[in-house]
Amino acid sequence: MEIAGSLGCRAVDYPRVIPMVESGKLKVKELVAAQLFLDEINEAFDLFRKGEGIRSVVAP
C-alpha cells in the first residue's frame, strides 16, 4: 500500500509536472527539507506545525 499526499499541487497538474521531473527540468531533491521515517511521524508533524518541515517527506 502506498499513500501519497501533497499540498499545493492539484491532481490536474500532475500530467504536466511528472514529465518535468522525469526529464530533470524540475529538481525535486533540492525541494525536500527533510526525510523522516514513518516511526518519526510525530516529529514530522511537530516540524510542520513550527513551519520548519513544509517540504518534508515521510517514508515507510
Side-chain angles (χ1 to χ4, degrees):
M1 178 185 302
E2 179 178 327
I3 300 172
S6 175
L7 297 174
C9 188
R10 303 169 305 161
V12 297
D13 296 325
Y14 286 112
R16 187 173 44 118
V17 172
I18 290 173
M20 293 170 64
V21 173
E22 290 175 332
S23 71
K25 289 182 182 178
L26 182 60
K27 310 283 188 207
V28 292
K29 283 189 178 185
E30 289 85 355
L31 298 175
V32 176
Q35 180 174 344
L36 299 110
F37 293 98
L38 197 52
D39 62 346
E40 301 172 298
I41 192 69
N42 290 329
E43 291 88 343
F45 280 118
D46 288 341
L47 288 173
F48 182 75
R49 286 185 198 104
K50 293 178 193 175
E52 298 172 6
I54 302 298
R55 294 182 183 107
S56 297
V57 173
V58 178

